[in-house]
């Protein structure tokens, strides 16, 4: 069995969330195609609709009327989605909305004080359960601040920027390492006043609505990474990933695959709506272990679970440090990797801020605890391609958070 063929992925999850939110700030009708098919993006859509935004499906596109927001009459259910919660906390605070945010057990255990701290410095009045959901925001007048973010987080940066659009004066945020930059890029393209100086992004109050837009969301590189990893793992594999977002803040995984010895070829590349998109070819080669340092982590944070799976089949040590943020994702991903890779017979050492894997080791089939985390489920499905015996996931359905079509497409590419 090898992994071969061509695949196009649904739209990038990060850009899909932002496209819906920014279209809601536009003065007229926007049309978005190739939106992410994942449940998280549907969650953002439902929350915006609950705030009075009119969103309709038209064939495969979504049409959205920007305009005024209303206070939702029910709590906003953010499900499993950290991006929905954190970005909407910023956006709706800036728009003077009264709302309560709730979520599932995983989301309710994740830190939201990283958003409430800067927003309260801007003047937001809110209540939370020790910095976690449920959170209630109360209509407040926000004033611009300069915020030095202690974490390299695009969600923190985006929340502050979106709040800044409704704040008096100028709002700026500096981050320690560059995180994904889609919010600032999109805003800049749509008439928002954005200035970027190194690691500092500044915005001003949006005096007039953003320009309505048409956007085809480029394919999600974080989802593409699982297919790239499958091709890297299974001998004789060769796949083409079409129309993938290749923004430099998102393609750390492809850099890492290249350093491991995998053939990663960029075929055509082009620009659309300020983002770079490309077709990539990935083919099998024996792999060697690599070291991933703190500076590289934001560029591949969501891909570390599948990189860990690859590391079990690479020659030598793979060392990942500076990745403590993994502990507060949809689950504690360092713990989830250690528990499950140990079950499969891999050699993994747990660190506070990462892990060390010594490869190569044969992998056994095992019963995998997904912790209801889509990226853990997908990473261990990929591990199952080379395991001796079956990998059985406790909650396979959780892949629908980002990519409901995952198993079907993986089956299609196996020959
Ligand atoms: C995201 C940013 C990242 C990432 C998440 C999506 C975004 O989180 O892990 O899946 O769309 O802004 P952090 O910003 O918290 O690192």
């Amino acid at each position: 069995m090898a992994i071969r063929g061509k695949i196009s992925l649904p739209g990038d999850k990060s850009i899909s969330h932002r496209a819906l939110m920014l279209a809601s700030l536009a003065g007229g009708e926007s049309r978005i195609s190739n939106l992410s098919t994942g449940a998280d993006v549907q969650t953002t859509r439902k929350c915006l609709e609950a705030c009075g935004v009119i969103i309709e499906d038209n064939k495969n596109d979504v049409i959205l009327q920007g305009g005024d927001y209303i206070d939702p009459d029910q709590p906003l259910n953010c499900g499993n989605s950290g991006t929905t919660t954190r970005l909407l906390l910023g956006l709706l605070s800036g728009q003077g909305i009264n709302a309560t945010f709730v979520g599932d057990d995983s989301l309710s255990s994740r830190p939201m004080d990283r958003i409430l701290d800067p927003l309260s410095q801007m003047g937001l009045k809110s209540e939370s359960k020790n910095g976690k959901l449920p959170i209630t925001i109360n209509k407040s007048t926000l004033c611009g601040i300069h915020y030095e973010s202690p974490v390299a987080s695009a969600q923190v940066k985006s929340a502050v920027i979106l709040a800044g659009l409704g704040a008096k004066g100028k709002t700026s945020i500096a981050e320690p390492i560059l995180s994904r930059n889609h919010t600032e890029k999109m805003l800049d393209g749509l008439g928002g006043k954005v200035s970027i100086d190194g690691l500092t992004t500044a915005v001003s109050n949006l005096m007039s609505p953003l320009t309505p837009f048409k956007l085809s969301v480029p394919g999600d590189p974080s989802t593409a990474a699982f297919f790239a990893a499958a091709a890297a793992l299974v001998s004789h594999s060769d796949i083409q990933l079409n129309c993938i977002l290749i923004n430099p803040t998102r393609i750390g995984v492809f850099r890492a695959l290249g350093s491991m010895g995998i053939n990663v070829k960029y075929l055509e590349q082009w620009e659309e709506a300020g983002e770079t998109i490309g077709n990539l070819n990935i083919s099998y080669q024996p792999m060697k272990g690599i070291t991933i340092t703190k500076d590289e982590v934001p560029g591949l944070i969501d891909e570390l679970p599948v990189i860990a799976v690859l590391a079990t089949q690479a020659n030598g040590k793979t060392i990942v440090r500076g990745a403590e943020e993994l502990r507060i994702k949809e689950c504690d991903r360092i713990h989830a990797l250690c528990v499950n890779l140990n079950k499969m017979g891999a050699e993994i050492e747990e660190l506070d801020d990462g892990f060390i894997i010594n490869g190569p080791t044969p992998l056994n089939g095992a019963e995998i605890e997904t912790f209801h985390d889509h990226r853990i489920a997908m990473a261990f499905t990929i591990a199952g391609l080379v395991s001796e015996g079956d990998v059985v996931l406790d909650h396979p359905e959780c892949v629908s958070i980002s990519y409901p079509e995952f198993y079907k497409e993986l089956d299609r590419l196996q020959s």
Side-chain angles (χ1 to χ4, degrees), residues 13-14 18 83 86 114 152-155 180 301-302 325 329 375:
K13 186 156 84 71
S14 292
R18 287 158 173 81
T83 311
R86 295 187 174 127
R114 52 179 53 200
S153 161
Q155 294 181 348
R180 64 194 70 191
I301 184 76
D302 293 337
E325 284 284 302
K329 292 295 177 189
R375 301 213 197 268

Side-chain angles (χ1 to χ4, degrees), residues 330-351:
E330 285 82 331
C331 75
D332 176 344
R333 287 183 175 158
I334 296 178
H335 173 72
L337 285 170
C338 291
V339 166
N340 290 311
L341 285 179
N342 271 321
K343 278 193 187 176
M344 294 187 78
E347 263 183 50
I348 179 165
E349 184 188 333
E350 179 165 358
L351 306 173

Side-chain angles (χ1 to χ4, degrees), residues 73-386:
D73 54 16
Q74 301 281 329
L76 295 174
N77 188 347
C78 300
N80 190 245
S81 178
T83 311
T84 306
T85 315
R86 295 187 174 127
L87 269 58
L88 280 182
L89 277 169
L91 175 78
L92 297 178
S93 299
Q95 301 301 313
I97 292 300
N98 298 292
T100 296
F101 292 72
V102 297
D104 69 9
D105 289 347
S106 151
L107 190 62
S108 304
S109 69
R110 296 179 67 185
M112 297 299 158
D113 42 0
R114 52 179 53 200
I115 307 296
L116 295 178
D117 287 349
L119 294 185
S120 74
Q121 288 178 33
M122 293 173 82
L124 176 72
K125 294 182 191 66
S126 66
E127 291 110 52
S128 74
K129 195 174 157 198
N130 295 325
K132 294 182 177 163
L133 296 182
I135 293 173
T136 297
I137 57 171
N138 302 306
K139 183 180 167 93
S140 319
T141 302
L142 302 192
C143 294
I145 54 163
H146 174 69
Y147 187 64
E148 293 279 334
S149 177
V151 278
S153 161
Q155 294 181 348
V156 172
K157 175 172 62 177
S158 301
V160 171
I161 291 174
L162 292 169
L165 298 178
K168 282 191 192 147
K170 182 172 151 184
T171 300
S172 58
I173 175 161
E175 51 183 346
I177 305 166
L178 184 66
S179 63
R180 64 194 70 191
N181 54 7
H182 311 303
T183 307
E184 49 274 40
K185 269 180 174 278
M186 285 182 84
L187 255 182
D188 189 40
L190 300 176
K193 281 200 200 107
V194 186
S195 69
I196 299 168
D197 181 8
L199 294 171
T200 303
T201 306
V203 289
S204 302
N205 184 289
L206 208 58
M207 297 296 191
S208 50
L210 295 175
T211 315
F213 58 93
K214 282 197 177 124
L215 174 73
S216 174
V217 182
D220 194 325
S222 299
T223 307
F226 293 102
F227 297 95
L233 216 48
V234 181
S235 59
H236 306 296
S237 295
D238 190 322
I239 58 160
Q240 188 168 320
L241 304 167
N242 283 337
C243 303
I244 301 299
L245 172 73
I246 52 172
N247 175 317
T249 64
R250 294 293 301 284
I251 52 168
V253 63
F254 300 119
R255 285 192 285 269
L257 285 177
S259 308
M260 293 176 97
I262 297 301
N263 280 325
V264 178
K265 279 192 225 125
Y266 287 84
L267 309 171
E268 305 79 12
Q269 288 187 29
W270 63 97
E271 299 278 318
E272 255 176 63
E275 293 285 4
T276 311
I277 304 164
N279 296 338
L280 269 71
N281 176 269
I282 317 274
S283 57
Y284 171 84
Q285 280 289 315
M287 290 178 284
K288 59 178 194 293
I290 54 168
T291 296
I292 294 176
T293 57
K294 194 173 178 70
D295 280 3
E296 297 167 84
V297 166
L300 43 64
I301 184 76
D302 293 337
E303 292 70 62
L304 284 170
V306 80
I307 291 173
V309 167
L310 292 182
T312 68
Q313 303 308 300
N315 268 305
K317 271 192 170 53
T318 292
I319 304 172
V320 175
R321 302 299 312 248
E324 59 278 2
E325 284 284 302
L326 279 183
R327 293 210 179 265
I328 48 170
K329 292 295 177 189
E330 285 82 331
C331 75
D332 176 344
R333 287 183 175 158
I334 296 178
H335 173 72
L337 285 170
C338 291
V339 166
N340 290 311
L341 285 179
N342 271 321
K343 278 193 187 176
M344 294 187 78
E347 263 183 50
I348 179 165
E349 184 188 333
E350 179 165 358
L351 306 173
D352 288 346
D353 64 344
F355 48 83
I356 301 175
I357 291 172
N358 215 348
T361 46
L363 296 179
N364 323 314
E367 288 185 8
I368 299 298
E369 279 180 80
T370 59
F371 301 91
H372 300 272
D373 181 329
H374 55 133
R375 301 213 197 268
I376 296 297
M378 291 193 231
F380 282 90
T381 302
I382 300 303
L385 295 174
V386 290

